[in-house]
């Protein structure tokens, strides 16, 4: 019995691992009924795998049987792999016992589609309801919305879970059609829009009637596979930006494609996953969400790809040297945020600290800005007067010369012959 | 002038009181343990006084908001040798300046308190993440820890709210005290037994299913790893090696 359970867990955790979302933040569900668990506003990562990704949730598939045949997915029906399925009780037992030992922050439940969308969704819902209603479990639950499931099932699930997500998979419709002809972006857009409207509606009602239950309090997220099809960074980020805008998503995840088959439409087996590219995309995502950048400033027809050797914020600054240097002691918060080497925490400290007097270099260093990077873009109380006006490529040279990229060991770029 | 106190928070706050009463000019605060007599510097021994300490704490609460009070407390819990003096100077600075002085991040002590408090909060957060309970035969979930900073007082609320329906013990093996939750309240406990016994819970004391779940967890941890993305540096950055001894999946 326990042997088989271990085996199943191995198969179904292995199949679920390509879903990168593991966040457990955004829900402040309280442990009101003296049951087990509660939400933690900023989330807790209980451990990290050897690839450096956080493990916060017990991320499993209910089953890896699937009626679809998407080329980028390990669980596609034509793939010859071991199949397994958890019973609802097994999912509940694993979640409760892992949670009690503080191994996990909650459950991430997804599934291959078996029989029909509604049939699958109904089974997922049953596991979630059992946890919430019978086991008094108040920890985090992230549930996959199954495309094509009925509105009633989705609405009911939303009442018990903290976050729902549904994956775009490919950044463009053309890419998706190439690898998964049975699917389309419309399948994703419809439920995303439906859940978003429900969230808005429940919030409105809660303003009037306090007893209205929470509906997907931690919001929705989605994921795109990067590097399986030949989209540019611009395509990817424009799609992401439009989804953030139209569906008020909490997160868009970018998952570097890891070759899993010898399909001629995709990178061959053994190709390195595009980790650097993925990193740059996340940096761009952060700049859009927290630093007030518009995606068009970072990526446009002149720069359809992000630089690999420097981060997108620095590369934006080097393209816009006419805006610099910025005076730390007078500039707006929004402008200070745009200086390479200064993050949100430091920017806020600077704004507070300069009320008490002009800031000097030694103070800025202590506050924690990356001074060697920022010094090319700022002036403060004791900045030495400079006669020479450096060009952006020179500044880039200075910064690259003194920084050590963690990716240098595995160069990704091919040198140009001509 | 050197002020010497007994190392407690009460003593530290009393020292602030005494300083304002005497106004001896620049003073350095040292705890009894770290103080070395200095031939050229007069010293003054602070006698901890509950009432004086309370007055200082209440006064501080009027000058600082809750987040800053917590920061000051966290900084004290760090137990770092330099922090006593920094905290002493910080409190004096706060009393001598108008409201809002705590936002002056250009001030060395303000920055020091902020950064130390951050370290302590990080350690507290790591404990919330890395504690691994073992279920014992009598149904109590137990975990022994030895955090860098004295974070146990900061853990009470989190674990009490989260694990409301199970009895648990979190024990600081380095500082010899811990917390016990009996389904109603959390109490501070000290266990008389040999520390080496607490470090490694023996098999026959554990619940019969404990090993199964530990095994399942280890297997889960292995299966969820993507080998093609191996990044040991990032891994150890997030889970520093000194915590591995807590982690079921790393044993």
């Amino acid at each position: 019995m326990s042997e088989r359970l271990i085996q199943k867990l191995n198969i179904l955790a292995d199949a679920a691992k390509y879903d990168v979302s593991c966040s457990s933040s955004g829900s402040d569900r309280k442990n009101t009924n003296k049951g087990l668990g509660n939400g933690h506003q900023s989330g807790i990562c209980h451990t990290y795998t050897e690839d450096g990704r956080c493990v916060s949730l017990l991320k499993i598939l209910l089953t890896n049987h699937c009626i679809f045949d998407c080329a980028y997915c390990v669980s596609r029906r034509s793939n010859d792999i071991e199949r397994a399925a958890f019973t609802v009780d097994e999912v509940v037992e694993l979640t409760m016992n892992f949670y009690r030992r503080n191994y996990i922050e909650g459950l991430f439940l997804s599934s291959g589609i078996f029989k029909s969308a509604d049939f699958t969704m109904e089974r997922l819902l049953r596991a979630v309801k059992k946890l919430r209603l019978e086991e008094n479990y108040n920890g985090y639950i992230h549930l996959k919305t199954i495309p094509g499931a009925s509105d009633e099932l989705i609405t009911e699930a939303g009442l018990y879970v903290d976050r729902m997500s549904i994956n775009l998979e490919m950044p463009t419709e053309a890419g998706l059609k190439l690898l998964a002809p049975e699917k389309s972006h419309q399948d994703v857009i419809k439920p995303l829009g439906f859940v978003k409207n429900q969230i808005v509606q429940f919030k409105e009602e809660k303003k009037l009637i306090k007893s209205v239950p929470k509906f997907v309090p931690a919001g929705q997220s989605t994921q795109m596979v990067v590097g399986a099809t030949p989209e540019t960074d611009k395509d990817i980020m424009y799609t992401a930006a439009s989804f953030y805008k139209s569906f008020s998503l909490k997160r868009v995840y970018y998952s570097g494609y890891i070759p899993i088959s010898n399909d001629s439409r995709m990178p061959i087996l053994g190709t390195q996953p595009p980790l650097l590219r993925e990193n740059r995309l996340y940096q761009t995502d952060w700049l859009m969400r927290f630093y007030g950048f518009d995606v068009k400033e970072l990526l446009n027809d002149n720069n359809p790809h992000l630089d690999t050797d420097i981060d997108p914020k620095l590369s934006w600054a080097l393209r816009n040297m006419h805006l610099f240097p910025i005076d730390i002691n007078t500039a707006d918060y929004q402008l200070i945020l745009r200086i390479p080497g200064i993050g949100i925490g430091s920017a806020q400290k600077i704004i507070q600290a300069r009320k008490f007097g002009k800031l000097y270099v030694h103070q800025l260093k202590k506050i924690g800005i990356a001074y060697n990077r920022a010094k090319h873009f700022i002036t403060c109380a004791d900045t030495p007067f400079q006669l020479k006006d450096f060009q952006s490529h020179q500044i880039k040279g200075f910064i690259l010369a003194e920084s050590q990229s963690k990716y240098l060991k595995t160069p990704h770029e091919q040198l140009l012959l001509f | 002038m050197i002020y010497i106190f007994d190392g407690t928070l009460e003593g530290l706050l009393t020292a602030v009181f005494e300083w304002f009463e005497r106004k001896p000019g620049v003073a350095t605060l040292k705890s009894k343990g770290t103080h070395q007599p200095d031939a050229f510097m007069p010293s003054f021994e602070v006698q901890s006084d509950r009432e004086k300490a309370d007055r200082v704490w209440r006064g501080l609460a009027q000058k600082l908001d809750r987040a800053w009070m917590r920061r000051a407390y966290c900084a004290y819990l760090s137990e770092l040798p330099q922090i006593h003096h920094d905290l002493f100077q910080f409190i004096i600075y706060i009393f001598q300046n108008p409201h809002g002085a705590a936002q002056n991040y250009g001030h060395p002590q303000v920055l020091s308190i902020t950064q130390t408090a951050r370290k302590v909060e990080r350690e507290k957060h790591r404990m919330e993440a890395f504690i691994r309970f073992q279920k014992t035969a009598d149904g109590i979930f137990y975990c022994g820890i030895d955090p860098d900073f004295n974070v146990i007082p900061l853990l009470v609320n989190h674990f009490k709210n989260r694990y409301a329906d199970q009895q648990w013990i979190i024990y600081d093996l380095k500082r010899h005290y811990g917390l016990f939750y009996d389904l109603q309240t959390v109490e501070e406990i000290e266990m008389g037994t040999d520390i080496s016994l607490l470090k490694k819970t023996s098999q026959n004391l554990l619940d019969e299913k404990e090993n199964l779940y530990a095994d399942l967890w280890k297997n889960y941890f292995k299966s969820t790893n993507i080998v093609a993305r191996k990044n040991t540096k990032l891994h150890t950055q997030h889970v520093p090696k000194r915590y591995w001894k807590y982690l079921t999946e790393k044993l």
Side-chain angles (χ1 to χ4, degrees), chain B residues 10-25:
Chain B
E10 203 177 290
L12 198 150
L13 295 171
T14 314
V16 174
F17 188 95
E18 300 290 356
W19 188 88
F20 272 101
E21 197 150 85
R22 274 153 241 268
K23 292 274 172 64

Side-chain angles (χ1 to χ4, degrees), chain B residues 25-36:
Chain B
V26 182
T28 322
L29 186 73
K30 293 228 163 113
S31 73
K32 255 181 211 153
T34 58
H35 173 62
Q36 304 255 329

Side-chain angles (χ1 to χ4, degrees), chain A residues 361-414:
Chain A
V361 173
H362 72 273
Q363 288 169 311
L364 291 176
K365 282 183 181 167
K366 271 253 156 137
I367 280 175
I369 73 169
Y371 185 72
N372 280 342
R373 176 170 294 230
K375 69 180 174 197
H376 305 288
F377 305 96
I378 58 170
T379 55
C380 55
D382 58 343
T383 303
F385 181 72
Q386 229 171 26
L387 279 173
K388 197 161 182 280
D389 202 8
F390 287 112
Q391 297 296 305
S392 57
H393 68 271
Q394 290 171 302
I395 293 177
K396 181 173 167 181
F398 294 141
I399 291 173
L400 280 181
E402 60 197 18
S403 63
Q404 260 263 307
S405 167
K406 58 193 163 195
Y407 295 106
L408 268 184
K409 274 169 243 148
T410 47
H412 288 257
E413 256 186 316
Q414 173 95 40

